[in-house]
Amino acid sequence: MAELPPSSGSFLHISITKLAIGSRLFVIVLQLVANLLLPDHDAGVFIAPHDKDAPERPLDALVRFTLGGLNRWDGQYFLHIAEHGYTYENALAFFPLFPFILKIVSSALSSYEVVTFVSYRELSLLLAVLFNVVCFIGAAKALYRLSKHVLGSQKKAEIAVLLFCFNPASIFFTAPYTESLYAWLSFVVMYQCMEDVTSIFLTIPLSLSILCRSNGMFNIGFVLFFAVRRITAQYNFHNVICICSRLFSMLIIVLFHYGIAQVYNYYLFCFVQKFNFPDHVREYAAEHGLVLAGNKSDDSSPWCTNLLPLSYSYVQSHYWNVGFLRYYELKQLPNFLLALPAIYLTLSNSYQYLCDHWDYAVRLGLFRLTKKQHKLMRPYDRFALVFVVHALVLTLFSLLFVHVQVTTRLLCAASPVLYWYTAEYFTGERTFIRRQVIRKLSKQVKDGEENSCTHVLNHIELSDLLDFRWMNGRQQAILVYFFGYTVVGTVLFSNFYPWT
């Protein structure tokens, strides 16, 4: 299932694994070249403190040379947390799963001779990039399975994966960020919900997704929706009791894991205690006025006195200026324009879907269709409602509450809908498909192949997405947007220039 069907002649075909790895290597090479040719911008943001007296290891310079362009922006926080833990209160905005994994692997390797060749910080950077490549492959395969199930079309599923591998937020799927891990976990949750929402194994990716990013909480909505849908489809008292009891147990397990993380944050910043932080970590806190763990005072960490002492909303508001319409300033207009393509694609196509299937949407897609309705609706029309609503909620939340430029990478990592909408542009037009058929048939007849019609109808190849001659304006614009953001974003990000 992970292999694109075989092609003939010069037409390109490639496995999902090779495509995912190739796209990551492209980003890594591009950031290396950009970091060499362009000077770094002084963005005035958090730069993780480094022990200047620490000895330089033989491979440190090589790791910084090849991957230094990826250790930018929030990557500084994740690598700092992996090395020293949550030393500063503003770091609580970054959820613990990703740096915790890096911490475990780096600490395990520290008992071997590898640490004699590379320092802990550089080792964490190298492991983060390798781990994200693995997660990206997993996300691509999970997206393919999910897309094939929802779209009911192998061609559309393949194009969705192709677009995912060169999505507009590609740099964040390779740098020490949570995008690759979160996308993998989220797509697995969505697919498992459709397959068997009552499976106890669903709690694993669901719990991990919530510990990975704050918007992982939205994934609970998929569990609730498909559980209710199953109840309405197989309604009887015994089924309702079984499904509800299992669902309740799953949610308790998930919320318990989330609660542990919040209790740990409370333990760090809501008591006066002595932590053995390195001197350079303490000095950085004093120089930049940061709240250091264990240094609770009457004025610091006011969230500790709340009835429900959750740190995340306070940290986002106090340190990152996140709040209702706070980002609506004239100086932020470039960031709105930067996020506009992803916002437009999501809102316009979601609006079209809801208009076309309003009766179905009003009934929340929970009730059985008549035979006539079932015949008129495609598999995508029947399955996509919850995914469309999820994408709409994420987009509107980004527009109203958070820094709007993150909408692009938020949608690219959390929702498959953006890839499904754009894949539809490449497979939804008969004239485009007809041109493909004519072009392929003409080549196959020229090469003397038999059974050409069967060969053409059973697959779509990578070359279909690379040949501008057979595309209309919308298809060309989508490819320019996806690939252009991949290139420009990588170049800007690797030199500390603002991006999504």
Side-chain angles (χ1 to χ4, degrees):
M1 290 179 61
E3 297 286 332
L4 296 182
S7 177
S8 63
S10 61
F11 292 116
L12 303 177
H13 62 281
I14 188 172
S15 72
I16 291 176
T17 300
K18 292 179 181 177
L19 181 65
I21 294 175
S23 67
R24 298 309 91 198
L25 290 177
F26 172 78
V27 171
I28 291 173
V29 171
L30 183 59
Q31 65 83 29
L32 170 61
V33 174
N35 203 29
L36 284 175
L37 298 180
L38 298 176
D40 285 348
H41 171 62
D42 184 9
V45 294
F46 176 80
I47 302 295
H50 183 69
D51 186 2
K52 298 178 181 179
D53 298 326
E56 181 80 1
R57 304 295 172 84
L59 296 180
D60 287 353
L62 178 62
V63 173
R64 288 195 297 267
F65 174 78
T66 55
L67 302 176
L70 298 173
N71 187 16
R72 301 291 189 249
W73 297 101
D74 292 350
Q76 293 278 330
Y77 281 100
F78 284 114
L79 294 183
H80 175 77
I81 296 170
E83 184 175 8
H84 298 293
Y86 286 95
T87 57
Y88 311 127
E89 187 180 49
N90 61 339
L92 294 178
F94 306 95
F95 276 41
L97 180 62
F98 182 72
F100 180 70
I101 293 174
L102 294 182
K103 179 72 172 180
I104 291 178
V105 179
S106 299
S107 299
L109 290 176
S110 65
S111 61
Y112 296 94
E113 294 183 357
V114 66
V115 294
T116 64
F117 298 100
V118 60
S119 299
Y120 195 98
R121 177 72 58 86
E122 281 69 27
L123 176 62
S124 297
L125 174 59
L126 177 60
L127 290 175
V129 175
L130 292 176
F131 179 66
N132 274 345
V133 171
V134 173
C135 290
F136 189 82
I137 295 171
K141 291 185 176 181
L143 176 62
Y144 177 78
R145 290 193 300 271
L146 177 65
S147 300
K148 192 175 180 181
H149 191 104
V150 174
L151 301 178
S153 168
Q154 182 174 337
K155 289 184 179 181
K156 292 180 181 180
E158 290 168 355
I159 292 182
V161 172
L162 289 172
L163 293 170
F164 171 74
C165 288
F166 293 95
N167 70 74
S170 279
I171 181 61
F172 299 101
F173 287 80
T174 306
Y177 276 63
T178 58
E179 266 66 16
S180 286
L181 176 59
Y182 183 75
W184 187 12
L185 294 170
S186 295
F187 296 155
V188 169
V189 168
M190 296 170 190
Y191 181 77
Q192 184 61 47
C193 283
M194 299 189 70
E195 286 289 290
D196 183 9
V197 71
T198 61
S199 172
I200 196 67
F201 294 106
L202 178 58
T203 57
I204 298 175
L206 182 59
S207 295
L208 294 179
S209 69
I210 292 175
L211 292 175
C212 185
R213 294 183 61 154
S214 60
N215 55 298
M217 280 291 183
F218 287 113
N219 288 337
I220 295 178
F222 290 100
V223 179
L224 298 176
F225 173 82
F226 284 104
V228 174
R229 187 170 185 171
R230 182 166 177 176
I231 290 174
T232 57
Q234 305 174 355
Y235 181 78
N236 64 62
F237 183 76
H238 180 264
N239 281 345
V240 171
I241 295 299
C242 291
I243 293 174
C244 289
S245 60
R246 181 165 291 195
L247 183 64
F248 179 77
S249 301
M250 291 167 56
L251 293 179
I252 289 296
I253 294 173
V254 169
L255 294 177
F256 173 75
H257 292 148
Y258 178 77
I260 290 177
Q262 301 308 311
V263 169
Y264 181 67
N265 294 344
Y266 186 84
Y267 163 76
L268 289 178
F269 291 94
C270 296
F271 297 97
V272 177
Q273 48 194 320
K274 186 176 181 180
F275 291 112
N276 190 27
F277 295 130
D279 291 339
H280 61 277
V281 172
R282 294 182 177 276
E283 291 171 1
Y284 189 89
E287 292 173 3
H288 295 84
L290 299 176
V291 176
L292 194 65
N295 286 16
K296 178 72 173 85
S297 66
D298 294 338
D299 298 326
S300 68
S301 306
W303 58 271
C304 293
T305 59
N306 293 343
L307 180 62
L308 192 63
L310 300 179
S311 60
Y312 185 74
S313 58
Y314 167 77
V315 170
Q316 287 282 22
S317 175
H318 182 73
Y319 292 99
W320 308 96
N321 195 34
V322 171
F324 182 63
L325 298 183
R326 286 189 185 180
Y327 215 59
Y328 280 73
E329 300 175 323
L330 186 61
K331 65 180 181 180
Q332 303 298 345
L333 180 60
N335 289 323
F336 279 87
L337 295 176
L338 191 64
L340 183 60
I343 294 172
Y344 171 76
L345 283 170
T346 303
L347 294 183
S348 62
N349 286 281
S350 298
Y351 174 78
Q352 187 63 47
Y353 174 88
L354 294 176
C355 288
D356 292 343
H357 310 290
W358 180 246
D359 292 338
Y360 182 69
V362 168
R363 293 183 291 126
L364 303 180
L366 297 176
F367 303 100
R368 290 184 178 181
L369 300 169
T370 64
K371 291 184 178 179
K372 182 178 180 181
Q373 290 173 324
H374 192 278
K375 186 176 181 179
L376 292 175
M377 296 181 72
R378 302 170 300 171
Y380 170 76
D381 300 330
R382 299 193 299 271
F383 294 137
L385 178 61
V386 64
F387 299 98
V388 171
V389 172
H390 174 250
L392 273 175
V393 170
L394 289 178
T395 304
L396 294 176
F397 183 79
S398 299
L399 279 171
L400 297 176
F401 289 96
V402 303
H403 298 179
V404 71
Q405 69 267 28
V406 307
T407 308
T408 302
R409 59 187 176 98
L410 181 66
L411 288 172
C412 287
S415 173
V417 165
L418 185 62
Y419 309 112
W420 294 344
Y421 286 156
T422 48
E424 185 71 22
Y425 285 105
F426 290 89
T427 57
E429 296 186 11
R430 294 180 180 179
T431 54
F432 175 64
I433 295 175
R434 189 180 298 116
R435 288 198 298 269
Q436 289 180 317
V437 172
I438 293 173
R439 176 167 60 88
K440 293 179 183 179
L441 280 177
S442 63
K443 186 182 188 309
Q444 292 165 356
V445 170
K446 182 179 179 180
D447 292 343
E449 295 186 20
E450 298 180 357
N451 301 322
S452 298
C453 292
T454 302
H455 178 77
V456 170
L457 294 176
N458 283 342
H459 74 281
I460 187 168
E461 292 148 343
L462 183 59
S463 55
D464 295 334
L465 211 62
L466 300 177
D467 195 342
F468 267 44
R469 297 174 300 170
W470 306 99
M471 295 182 185
N472 60 32
R474 283 188 176 183
Q475 293 154 352
Q476 292 177 351
I478 288 172
L479 283 191
V480 169
Y481 166 54
F482 272 66
F483 193 74
Y485 267 49
T486 297
V487 174
V488 175
T490 301
V491 171
L492 293 179
F493 178 94
S494 61
N495 290 283
F496 257 124
Y497 288 95
W499 190 238
T500 61

